[in-house]
Amino acid sequence: MFGERTRRGTLRGVGAALCVLVVVLSVAGPAAAAAAADADRSQRLAAADTGDGSTAVAQSSGTADANFTVRRTAHNKFTVWVDESYVSGANLTDDVTLNISDSEGNLVGTQTWDIGESTVWNGTRNETFKTPGHGLSVRGSLAEATVELNGTGISDTAPLHSVFLGEGPVWTNGSQHYVVTAGTTGVGANDTVTAEFGEREVDADLRSDGNLLVLQAKAGDKPTPDLTVKSDGVPIAEPRSVGPDIRLTTDEVQLWHPAVDSGTEYTVTVHSIDGTSVDNSMPAEATGAGTVPIPNATDVVGAQKVNVSLTRGETALLNQSEITDVDQPVQTDAAVTSNGTVQFKYSLTSLGIDAATITGDSANDSAYLEGDSLSLDGQTLSLSGTTVNATDTLRLQTDAGVLNVSLSEASGGGSNGSQPGGSGEDQSSLLGGVLSVLFPAGLLVPFLAGAIGAGLYIGRERGEPDYINVGLGVVAVACVIVLAYFIGQIFKISPLQQPLVIGGALGMLLVGASSYAVGGRALHDGTASRGRHSSGAVTHDVTVTVSDGSGPISGRCEISARKQGSDERVTETVRDGRAALQLSSGNWVVEATHGGYSSSPETIRFGQLESPDSLRLPIDLPEVSLTVRDPDRDAPIPNASVRLDGDGQTLTKKTDSDGAVSFDPPSGAERVTITTVHDRYHESVSEFALDGSVTETIALDAKTGTLSFVTSIDGTRTGGMDITISPADDHLNKLYGSDVNVTSEPDGTHRSSSIPVGRYRAAIDPPASTEGLYRSSEVTFEVTEGDRTEVEMDAAFTWELSRAHRDRISQIRRDMDQITGKSGIDLAIPNYYASVIETVLDAVEAFPEQGDQLISAEAHPDEITEATLEAAGAAVETVADAMSTKRNRDLFTACADMPDATVRWQGGFDLPALVERLNEDQMAVRRSYAARADSVSDRIDAERGAVSETAPARSMLDEVGIESRGDHVDEVVATHVAIMLLDAVDELFDHPELTERLSRTVF
């Protein structure tokens, strides 16, 4: 009685499965016929197994759902998110299929996702997949592709189209760049793209069936700008660097750069050719092809490497860059058609072609064609006066340089192929007739083999051959194949078409497995209810996985199953978190325990139509979550070794980039000991009780040393120097967010304590006001624990007096000769005052050796030098005017018979005092001058009783003065020199040789 009921159930199951099979394969028939006209689409449809044995051919009926999100996340990747609540509610525990469809609803491809193994993060499960690949033929657009979660009816849209840039030629025509691509996937005729070229957003067009990218603007001023194709701001192509190139044009050798503007003058400098120094520059105007002529063209032509620079005014577009393989032309492909023209994959309309050289038998070894013998129409190049075939070598002289064209015969026959209506066509027709009969018959063989194998498999499982299943499978599959054949005949799809041959070959490989999956597993599952007979009862195999949320639990687990309404129980003890149970039909309650922790009971049913083969039981185990940080710098510590000891077990892990690490502690542990070790920190040991999950932060004390800097300029200790300290090893790079800047003390030293051990770089950074005047130094050093590291850093003062400065000094000295070169009078006092000006000039000539003093001045050395020379020139006039008064001339004439006296002022220029005054307020400087003038006046008055004449002193005091000059530096320097003259007036009375002259009473 039981066997009879099982037999009737078997027939009902076979009938139901057969209906499903016929319906699905009947839908697949028209799609297979249409695929014969579209090869690549046929291949993708043949590969797109939906999981039940049928081949999906149309866009799914999925609808947008907030639980399901798809986003393009990289130029070749997209990411899918599904809410965990939806996954649990839909009981999605195994592999699911993502169906990708284009804008016309055509299935482009599928992706398999083991959603059950995905980690739950922030309430969602996610996975990242590759976008549809290069070479895939897509009928519609993927700019808004539909991605459906198969079997759920939910979907979302995302841009999944791609452009593949490749390494093809790039050329310029006026304000546009033309980039040959390797093709596109899913870019429709109405889809728009943009590009980022050298960090500049530019408009872009795809032409010539996507094989030519036209950029509507120049790249940014980058030496080797990156090109990225985008759609709505999302990169859809892998970035490609478009570097400069030396191109061999018709008349000369030129440098091409993507940022060059037509008609603008540039300077090209050739620094070296094959390692030989040249350093030759040439200014020239850029051509419409984006190139600039270069010097030493003859030597450059045959060079392997050339080092060049390119500048526009003061802007360097290319700085000391080495271009290799100058003599290697760009390689590209083309096909020779039956009428002798050359067919490219991309349009050449915008590419200037000046000449062509053909080498081979068809050109009698060699033929040279001028530009007027070449006719260009889009992708087609016609050559007048000669012939060309696929065995020839074609070289084109173009605006993109020399192109070596690798020729091949066009698909469907080359220039020597048969003509329409000839014997070739008759043979094709005959072969087509034969194949039109043999092809469907050949496909029957693997289908029938699969159906027979499926039936025999079921029979073996049942213990007897199931001839009914075998017969029904053979009949159903044969009917579907014949139906597909007649549909192909109705739509006149030639069996000779290459896509059909490829699709048939793939079908041969896949049909056996498909027949097994449909005819075997489906019929077997429907008949035996996914169970098997054992001693007259049907049992079901189910795999139970005990999980901690991330994967199977390691360690002893007990899994128990209790059948509802019965005393039947099954218990298994495992150590790898997985158990294979055999359960009879009915409702079962299954739960698991591990180390005192239990899962929630799960109820599952086994029956004729409802028989799950897997079950996941999650157990919420306590987790030890730790974060290791550097408390002094409030930064995470990556790569720290953390060891957990508990219940006689030891677990060790490394912290991640956020300093985080987590453990699943041993199930029997009540307390755990955490030991944290890092070679840059002192070891830490902590102990925690496991009352539940533990979340703690562990602070490590860094191993430190002391750091001492000494800064100098030209060997002289100098303070006020900025020092930039940078980490020089991976650990310190991750620890510090930015460089550290310190400033040396006035004595040129700086000391820091508690510096983390490791390698550092330090560089002197003089004040911004002196930028370009010093050549700084950089040193690398290592700080070790408990030691003092001393670092000496010296900067060289590179500023020099200009030619104009030296000419001005010479002119002032000539002006002084007018004062001290007079005859007939005594010049001791004029020469004395002139020595003050000489001191000023000597100080200016020593400025290049005074970098340690000038660094602290809030002014450029050029400003100080020019202001000092201006003040010295004014001082010459002051001395000349003061010494030429009548009273002074009479005195000097009366002293003409006195012995010559050479007296120099004993004071100095005092550069530190000048620098201090430059950093002061102008009013403070004026007050200093006024106070000095008052003291000198008092000295003159005091000396009246000791000498007969004070006119040389009083006249100098009267002539020396200051006035507002508007510029702070000019006014301060002029005041500084005026105070020097006042000091000389005061000192005049300290020299007996001079006071003797002031005592002469007869004149």
Side-chain angles (χ1 to χ4, degrees):
M1 183 70 178
F2 175 77
E4 186 64 27
R5 287 199 303 270
T6 302
R7 187 66 174 176
R8 288 198 298 270
T10 298
L11 293 177
R12 287 196 300 271
V14 170
L18 182 60
C19 291
V20 173
L21 175 66
V22 171
V23 171
V24 173
L25 291 181
S26 297
V27 174
D38 188 344
D40 294 327
R41 181 168 171 255
S42 175
Q43 296 171 12
R44 297 300 295 182
L45 290 176
D49 190 346
T50 63
D52 60 359
S54 64
T55 301
V57 298
Q59 184 178 7
S60 65
S61 59
T63 58
D65 193 289
N67 294 309
F68 183 66
T69 304
V70 182
R71 294 289 182 269
R72 180 79 170 252
T73 51
H75 76 272
N76 61 346
K77 294 179 182 179
F78 68 96
T79 302
V80 178
W81 289 268
V82 182
D83 281 359
E84 169 61 13
S85 59
Y86 183 86
V87 173
S88 300
N91 196 25
L92 301 178
T93 60
D94 296 319
D95 290 349
V96 296
T97 302
L98 299 176
N99 294 332
I100 304 172
S101 304
D102 62 20
S103 61
E104 296 183 3
N106 304 300
L107 183 65
V108 173
T110 62
Q111 296 279 7
T112 301
W113 180 11
D114 188 356
I115 195 170
E117 291 297 325
S118 297
T119 301
V120 179
W121 183 85
N122 201 21
T124 64
R125 296 177 186 244
N126 68 82
E127 191 70 38
T128 299
F129 302 93
K130 290 282 188 181
T131 54
H134 188 200
L136 175 64
S137 177
V138 180
R139 176 170 297 181
S141 167
L142 291 179
E144 193 172 355
T146 299
V147 181
E148 182 222 4
L149 186 61
N150 189 32
T152 65
I154 63 174
S155 66
D156 196 8
T157 59
L160 301 185
H161 54 324
S162 299
V163 175
F164 303 92
L165 293 178
E167 295 296 331
V170 180
W171 68 86
T172 303
N173 189 336
S175 63
Q176 296 176 323
H177 284 315
Y178 296 82
V179 182
V180 175
T181 72
T184 63
T185 296
V187 179
N190 297 323
D191 293 342
T192 60
V193 299
T194 60
E196 184 179 279
F197 198 17
E199 301 180 2
R200 176 183 293 176
E201 294 290 337
V202 300
D203 292 333
D205 295 324
L206 277 170
R207 303 177 186 173
S208 192
D209 295 330
N211 286 313
L212 187 64
L213 178 68
V214 183
L215 307 177
Q216 303 295 338
K218 297 292 182 183
D221 293 344
K222 299 291 180 183
T224 305
D226 283 342
L227 169 62
T228 302
V229 183
K230 296 183 176 182
S231 178
D232 292 333
V234 179
I236 62 171
E238 183 176 7
R240 171 188 173 182
S241 293
V242 181
D245 186 18
I246 293 180
R247 297 182 171 179
L248 313 179
T249 62
T250 303
D251 300 322
E252 56 189 331
V253 181
Q254 297 186 343
L255 175 66
W256 178 85
H257 190 280
V260 164
D261 289 318
S262 173
T264 301
E265 184 174 274
Y266 296 85
T267 298
V268 180
T269 302
V270 176
H271 298 282
S272 65
I273 301 175
D274 286 336
T276 302
S277 179
V278 176
D279 288 327
N280 191 8
S281 300
M282 183 175 75
E285 188 174 286
T287 69
T291 60
V292 184
I294 67 176
N296 295 79
T298 304
D299 297 328
V300 168
V301 170
Q304 292 297 316
K305 56 183 180 180
V306 179
N307 193 293
V308 298
S309 295
L310 176 66
T311 59
R312 180 185 64 233
E314 298 297 326
T315 302
L317 299 183
L318 197 63
N319 190 17
Q320 291 274 5
S321 294
E322 187 170 86
I323 299 178
T324 58
D325 297 328
V326 176
D327 58 348
Q328 297 299 315
V330 178
Q331 298 289 332
T332 189
D333 298 327
V336 179
T337 63
S338 59
N339 58 3
T341 62
V342 178
Q343 186 80 17
F344 291 83
K345 294 181 180 179
Y346 48 89
S347 175
L348 296 175
T349 300
S350 61
L351 177 63
I353 302 179
D354 301 318
T357 302
I358 306 171
T359 305
D361 296 336
S362 65
N364 295 324
D365 293 333
S366 181
Y368 179 80
L369 301 178
E370 296 285 355
D372 54 6
S373 298
L374 307 173
S375 176
L376 186 62
D377 182 13
Q379 299 173 231
T380 303
L381 177 66
S382 302
L383 303 96
S384 302
T386 186
T387 58
V388 62
N389 60 42
T391 62
D392 293 334
T393 299
L394 176 61
R395 175 174 286 197
L396 301 178
Q397 198 81 31
T398 74
D399 288 343
V402 177
L403 297 185
N404 268 1
V405 185
S406 178
L407 299 174
S408 62
E409 290 188 356
S411 60
S415 56
N416 298 323
S418 60
Q419 298 298 320
S423 60
E425 185 174 330
D426 296 337
Q427 294 174 1
S428 298
S429 300
L430 176 60
L431 181 60
V434 174
L435 289 181
S436 65
V437 176
L438 295 181
F439 186 75
L443 288 179
L444 283 173
V445 175
F447 271 113
L448 295 178
I452 293 172
L456 294 179
Y457 171 80
I458 297 170
R460 180 176 62 82
E461 292 292 310
R462 291 291 309 275
E464 61 181 21
D466 197 336
Y467 300 109
I468 295 178
N469 286 341
V470 171
L472 290 176
V474 170
V475 172
V477 173
C479 290
V480 171
I481 292 299
V482 172
L483 177 62
Y485 169 71
F486 281 111
I487 290 176
Q489 293 294 315
I490 293 172
F491 288 96
K492 301 187 184 300
I493 300 175
S494 171
L496 283 180
Q497 288 181 320
Q498 185 179 6
L500 186 57
V501 176
I502 297 173
L506 293 175
M508 297 268 186
L509 297 175
L510 298 175
V511 76
S514 300
S515 299
Y516 168 79
V518 176
R521 293 295 296 273
L523 291 177
H524 170 247
D525 292 345
T527 302
S529 188
R530 296 189 65 151
R532 61 178 175 219
H533 285 267
S534 177
S535 301
V538 177
T539 60
H540 307 264
D541 294 333
V542 59
T543 299
V544 180
T545 301
V546 184
S547 170
D548 61 358
S550 60
I553 293 177
S554 298
R556 188 177 184 277
C557 293
E558 185 175 279
I559 302 172
S560 62
R562 175 178 52 83
K563 188 174 183 179
Q564 292 181 342
S566 171
D567 294 334
E568 189 174 352
R569 293 177 180 272
V570 175
T571 302
E572 289 281 348
T573 300
V574 297
R575 293 192 174 276
D576 61 354
R578 298 180 187 273
L581 305 181
Q582 291 185 2
L583 305 177
S584 61
S585 299
N587 295 332
W588 288 80
V589 178
V590 186
E591 58 184 330
T593 59
H594 171 73
Y597 300 94
S598 300
S599 69
S600 298
E602 292 287 344
T603 302
I604 56 175
R605 174 178 176 78
F606 296 98
Q608 185 174 7
L609 299 177
E610 189 177 0
S611 300
D613 58 4
S614 65
L615 176 65
R616 183 178 294 270
L617 297 175
I619 296 179
D620 187 13
L621 296 178
E623 184 179 55
V624 176
S625 299
L626 305 172
T627 302
V628 182
R629 297 188 66 83
D630 182 328
D632 294 331
R633 287 150 194 86
D634 191 24
I637 303 176
N639 296 321
S641 179
V642 182
R643 187 180 75 241
L644 179 147
D645 294 297
D647 194 29
Q649 298 185 44
T650 298
L651 304 174
T652 303
K653 290 185 179 181
K654 294 279 190 179
T655 57
D656 60 17
S657 60
D658 295 325
V661 67
S662 62
F663 294 93
D664 293 328
S667 57
E670 296 181 355
R671 300 185 69 84
V672 293
T673 300
I674 303 297
T675 304
T676 308
V677 178
H678 194 287
D679 60 351
R680 305 294 182 93
Y681 295 87
H682 295 287
E683 179 179 300
S684 169
V685 179
S686 305
E687 187 172 331
F688 303 105
L690 291 181
D691 299 330
S693 293
V694 175
T695 302
E696 294 289 342
T697 297
I698 296 178
L700 295 186
D701 295 328
K703 296 178 181 178
T704 62
T706 302
L707 180 60
S708 175
F709 285 104
V710 176
T711 59
S712 60
I713 295 178
D714 293 332
T716 301
R717 279 201 182 190
T718 307
M721 300 290 284
D722 294 335
I723 306 169
T724 300
I725 306 173
S726 307
D729 61 43
D730 291 340
H731 172 76
L732 294 174
N733 273 323
K734 295 174 182 177
L735 186 64
Y736 287 100
S738 60
D739 297 340
V740 176
N741 296 298
V742 298
T743 304
S744 60
E745 300 296 332
D747 63 351
T749 63
H750 178 84
R751 293 177 179 83
S752 299
S753 58
S754 300
I755 302 298
V757 298
R759 292 185 60 79
Y760 295 86
R761 287 187 302 272
I764 289 181
D765 186 14
S769 61
T770 62
E771 184 177 356
L773 303 179
Y774 295 85
R775 182 173 59 252
S776 62
S777 62
E778 181 178 287
V779 295
T780 301
F781 57 90
E782 184 166 2
V783 176
T784 55
E785 184 181 10
D787 295 330
R788 176 176 174 178
T789 303
E790 295 188 356
V791 181
E792 295 184 359
M793 307 190 69
D794 184 73
F797 187 52
T798 58
W799 177 83
E800 296 287 346
L801 291 173
S802 68
R803 171 67 66 181
H805 293 155
R806 297 190 181 279
D807 290 344
R808 179 62 173 144
I809 291 171
S810 298
Q811 180 61 49
I812 294 173
R813 286 197 168 103
R814 286 194 296 270
D815 293 343
M816 288 170 56
D817 290 342
Q818 299 298 319
I819 303 173
T820 61
K822 297 180 179 180
S823 61
I825 61 174
D826 181 73
L827 297 175
I829 293 177
N831 282 334
Y832 168 73
Y833 286 126
S835 69
V836 177
I837 302 171
E838 189 64 39
T839 299
V840 174
L841 299 179
D842 291 343
V844 171
E845 290 177 326
F847 278 178
E849 287 76 44
Q850 301 296 317
D852 57 313
Q853 299 294 332
L854 292 174
I855 189 171
S856 58
E858 295 182 358
H860 194 280
D862 283 342
E863 295 181 84
I864 298 174
T865 301
E866 289 160 7
T868 305
L869 293 177
E870 183 67 25
V876 173
E877 296 179 4
T878 298
V879 173
D881 291 344
M883 296 298 100
S884 62
T885 63
K886 182 178 183 305
R887 192 169 187 84
N888 284 332
R889 285 200 310 270
D890 291 343
L891 174 63
F892 300 152
T893 301
C895 296
D897 59 344
M898 296 182 69
D900 292 338
T902 302
V903 180
R904 289 186 58 87
W905 178 57
Q906 300 302 306
F909 186 76
D910 197 355
L911 183 56
L914 174 59
V915 170
E916 184 177 350
R917 284 172 174 153
L918 285 170
N919 297 336
E920 289 181 353
D921 179 76
Q922 287 184 201
M923 291 303 298
V925 177
R926 290 179 182 178
R927 285 193 295 270
S928 297
Y929 168 79
R932 187 59 177 138
D934 290 343
S935 67
V936 172
S937 179
D938 293 342
R939 176 70 186 274
I940 294 174
D941 292 339
E943 294 292 338
R944 287 184 182 278
V947 297
S948 302
E949 182 60 58
T950 59
R954 176 61 67 179
S955 59
M956 276 295 297
L957 176 61
D958 293 341
E959 288 293 336
V960 175
I962 59 172
E963 57 185 15
S964 177
R965 297 173 180 261
D967 182 82
H968 176 74
V969 176
D970 289 344
E971 185 168 333
V972 170
V973 172
T975 304
H976 183 75
V977 174
I979 292 175
M980 291 173 62
L981 291 174
L982 293 177
D983 290 342
V985 174
D986 193 357
E987 188 184 306
L988 175 69
F989 299 102
D990 297 333
H991 295 284
E993 297 93 335
L994 303 181
T995 55
E996 183 181 0
R997 284 159 171 77
L998 296 179
S999 300
R1000 179 62 66 98
T1001 58
V1002 179
F1003 62 91

